[in-house]
Amino acid sequence: QVHLVESAGRLVQAGSSLRLSCAASGRTFSTYAMAWFRQAPGKERDFVAAVSGGSSSTYYADSVKGRFTLSRDNAKNTVYLQMNSLKPEDTAVYHCAAHYTAGAGVPITARDYSYWGQGTQVTVSS
């Protein structure tokens, strides 16, 4: 069982930066692929970024590639989503998710993730 807690989101202006973090419970954090998804009002939950357990592989949605950076610190059981050059269309509830892989790959679909944080609101004003 993994318990995920995201940092607080906030209201920011377009073009600014924000870093989200997600702290995980448990002693086998490195065996989990970690990801961020986001959901805007009235829309489906969309993939944002994912990272393998050992940080060897990272994947991004086209919409955030070059602006967002996902990293993890296994010693701290934490993943970080650095978001730069934020746009109003980045406004959403951001969810952290974990998938047990033991090195078997990094899924990018929500249905493959078993553990979810409660979500944190990020609002980007124009």
Side-chain angles (χ1 to χ4, degrees):
Q1 191 76 7
V2 177
H3 183 59
L4 304 174
V5 179
E6 297 107 339
S7 59
R10 57 189 176 97
L11 171 65
V12 298
Q13 289 189 332
S16 60
S17 298
L18 180 66
R19 188 177 81 161
L20 300 179
S21 63
C22 173
S25 64
R27 294 174 290 178
T28 58
F29 182 65
S30 62
T31 62
Y32 288 82
M34 299 297 296
W36 286 90
F37 291 80
R38 66 186 181 186
Q39 188 165 19
K43 296 187 177 181
E44 294 184 352
R45 189 168 295 188
D46 291 332
F47 169 74
V48 175
V51 61
S52 61
S55 300
S56 60
S57 301
T58 311
Y59 303 90
Y60 297 94
D62 288 343
S63 58
V64 307
K65 202 171 293 183
R67 299 188 298 122
F68 291 12
T69 302
L70 179 60
S71 61
R72 65 189 296 162
D73 184 338
N74 286 346
K76 296 182 178 180
N77 282 17
T78 302
V79 290
Y80 304 96
L81 183 67
Q82 177 67 43
M83 304 184 292
N84 298 329
S85 302
L86 283 162
K87 305 175 181 180
E89 51 263 44
D90 293 319
T91 295
V93 175
Y94 284 71
H95 294 269
C96 175
H99 169 77
Y100 178 74
T101 68
V106 184
I108 61 171
T109 54
R111 64 177 181 270
D112 290 322
Y113 284 82
S114 302
Y115 305 101
W116 292 84
Q118 78 284 359
T120 188
Q121 177 70 48
V122 174
T123 303
V124 184
S125 63
S126 57

